[in-house]
Amino acid sequence: MKEKLPPLIFLSAGGTGGHVTPAQALSDELIRRGYRVAFVTDARGRKYIPSSQNLGLHVIHSGTFTHGIKGKIRGIT
């Protein structure tokens, strides 16, 4: 018989510590309550997640199109 694993929750936050730090606090509480947690972040957010934390970490490529006037126009659509 297979052992039933606790539910897995993905938390997505990236860019700055202002986004990642609250997600880490939430992950700590979810783990305390028995859930498994994995982070989805970008390369910028990765540096805020300590490697000592036992979390699944998925780094995705992301970015914004806000550089220059053409990028700003693309960013609003």
Side-chain angles (χ1 to χ4, degrees), residues 5 16 48 51 58 60 62 64 74:
L5 294 173
T16 67
Y48 296 102
S51 58
H58 305 274
I60 59 172
S62 67
T64 60
R74 280 190 215 126

Side-chain angles (χ1 to χ4, degrees), residues 65-77:
F65 297 107
T66 58
H67 295 83
I69 189 71
K70 289 181 184 177
K72 289 179 181 173
I73 291 169
R74 280 190 215 126
I76 61 172
T77 58

Side-chain angles (χ1 to χ4, degrees), residues 31-58:
I31 290 168
R32 189 184 72 74
R33 292 181 184 205
Y35 293 93
R36 296 179 299 140
V37 177
F39 268 93
V40 179
T41 189
D42 60 5
R44 299 172 301 154
R46 179 183 198 169
K47 64 184 172 189
Y48 296 102
I49 299 172
S51 58
S52 61
Q53 271 190 310
N54 190 18
L55 297 171
L57 178 62
H58 305 274

